[in-house]
Amino acid sequence: MDEETIPPDHPRYWSLVIRERLVRGFRNGIVVPQGLIAHGRGEAFDYILGEETHPPAREATKAAAALLLVSQNPVISVNGNSAALAASELVKLSQISNAKLEVNLFHRSREREERILSRLREEGADNILGVGEDADAIIPDISSMRRKVSSRGIYRADTVLVAIEDGDRTESLVKMGKKVIAIDINPFSRTARYATVTIVDNIIRAIPNLVKECEELRHLSLEEIRCIAERFDNEANLCNMVAIILRRLEKIAQQGF
Ligand code: PTJ
C-alpha cells in the first residue's frame, strides 16, 4: 500500500500514513531498521494519548516556538525518522524560524547523510549542515556517532531542536549551556526529562503546529516572545502529560471502553 492509496476515511488513517512514510524511508536508505523499532515505541504512546495533541503539548509547542524565535543561533537536528516523517515541515520550520538544518545520525554513514541531504533539498532546503567533512566538531561526553556535529551549526548553537532521539545527547547539550527543544511522545524518556522544552506529541503533528505558532508569535514584541519562552516549566508540563495518561487509563479501567 502506498501513502496515496490509503483511504482518508480509514479510522487509523494517520497511523497508516506514518507507517508507509517510514517503510518508504527504510527502502530509500533514510531510516535504519532500528528506526522502525523506535517508531513502535512511539506509536504505543500515541495510541494511549488518543493520537491527538493535548493542551500541555500545545503549551510546550508555543514555548518552543518562542524559544526558536528569540534564539541567536537555533539549529534543527534531523535524523532518519524525522526526515522520513516530516521533511517538508522541517524545512518550513527552518525557514520561518531562521533555524539552520543539520543532519545528525546515531547510525551514521556517509550514504545516509547524503540521502537525507537530498530529501531535505527536494523540499527546498539549502545550506544543510553536518554532512561529511562539515561534521568537524565533537560534543563532549558522548560516545555515540551523535557526538559529531558541525562547528557552524549544533556546536555553536544556543538552541537545538531534537526529535525522536535516544537519551544521551540532550543531557550533554544542556551541559554545554544550550537550550534543547525535544519532540518525544514518551514523557518518561531521558530526552524528555533533560530538555528545556519537551513537546510530548507525535512529530507528525508537532512540526506543523510549531510552524503555525511561529507564524502567530512573530506578531508579538520580542519582549513578549521572550516572556513566553522563559515562563515555561518543563517538569510541570511533563507531569501534566503523565496526569493526562493516568486520567485516560483510569476512565477506561472504571467505566470500560
Ligand atoms: O536516524 P538515526 O541513525 O539517528 O537513528 C534514529 C533512532 C530513532 C533509531 C534513534 O534515535 C533511536 O534509537 O531512538 P530511541 O532511543 O528509540 O528513541 C526514540 C524516542 O522517540 C522514543 O522515546 C520514542 O517513544 C519517540 N518517538 C518515536 N516515534 C515518534 C517519537 N516521538 C515523537 N514522534 C514520533 N513519531
Side-chain angles (χ1 to χ4, degrees):
M1 194 186 271
D2 235 0
E3 183 177 331
E4 292 72 27
T5 61
I6 301 169
D9 60 346
H10 191 287
R12 302 201 47 75
Y13 174 75
W14 274 112
S15 169
L16 296 177
V17 167
I18 295 171
R19 286 182 179 195
E20 285 311 313
R21 285 189 193 173
L22 285 166
V23 169
R24 188 188 294 175
F26 173 66
R27 290 192 178 128
N28 294 342
I30 287 177
V31 174
V32 278
Q34 293 86 340
L36 302 178
I37 298 170
H39 173 69
R41 183 149 63 137
E43 197 180 52
F45 276 98
D46 207 10
Y47 197 83
I48 291 172
L49 286 167
E51 294 166 326
E52 60 179 276
T53 304
H54 291 273
R58 288 204 184 280
E59 193 194 331
T61 305
K62 190 170 183 173
L67 188 51
L68 282 175
L69 293 178
V70 297
S71 297
Q72 299 296 315
N73 282 307
V75 175
I76 299 168
S77 182
V78 183
N79 69 7
N81 282 44
S82 56
L85 290 177
S88 141
E89 300 291 338
L90 284 166
V91 174
K92 272 190 210 147
L93 181 63
S94 95
Q95 287 162 349
I96 195 159
S97 65
N98 272 326
K100 295 177 184 130
L101 289 165
E102 178 165 339
V103 177
N104 180 273
L105 304 176
F106 186 84
H107 304 280
R108 199 176 189 107
S109 75
R110 187 63 198 257
E111 199 188 331
R112 284 188 72 219
E113 288 170 13
E114 293 290 346
R115 283 177 192 259
I116 293 168
L117 178 87
S118 313
R119 183 69 198 92
L120 294 170
R121 280 201 181 135
E122 260 171 34
E123 297 296 342
D126 49 15
N127 194 22
I128 298 151
L129 305 175
V131 175
E133 305 307 308
D134 187 60
D136 57 352
I138 298 286
I139 304 174
D141 303 329
I142 306 188
S143 49
S144 80
M145 293 303 266
R146 281 211 192 285
R147 69 183 183 277
K148 294 184 77 178
V149 292
S150 170
S151 56
R152 299 186 293 143
I154 290 173
Y155 194 77
R156 63 190 286 264
D158 50 356
T159 298
V160 183
L161 185 149
V162 305
I164 316 184
E165 189 163 312
D166 40 285
D168 58 348
R169 195 164 67 129
T170 295
E171 191 179 356
S172 302
L173 291 172
V174 169
K175 263 196 210 154
M176 287 173 84
K178 300 178 193 303
K179 308 240 189 249
V180 176
I181 296 165
I183 298 173
D184 192 331
I185 194 133
N186 173 4
F188 306 105
S189 77
R190 287 203 308 141
T191 298
R193 286 185 284 129
Y194 282 116
T196 319
V197 177
T198 303
I199 303 171
V200 181
D201 202 1
N202 197 317
I203 192 171
I204 212 103
R205 298 186 295 271
I207 302 287
N209 285 342
L210 261 174
V211 171
K212 265 190 233 139
E213 280 294 350
C214 284
E215 273 161 2
E216 280 168 26
L217 288 181
R218 280 203 309 186
H219 303 295
L220 301 183
S221 72
L222 200 60
E223 212 28 61
E224 285 170 307
I225 303 175
R226 191 166 285 128
C227 193
I228 292 169
E230 280 171 4
R231 68 168 184 236
F232 182 79
D233 179 339
N234 199 47
E235 188 164 357
N237 193 276
L238 287 178
C239 291
N240 289 337
M241 284 304 305
V242 174
I244 285 172
I245 293 175
L246 272 177
R247 279 203 299 275
R248 287 178 64 84
L249 296 180
E250 218 162 46
K251 192 168 166 232
I252 295 170
Q254 285 168 5
Q255 299 171 14
F257 289 97

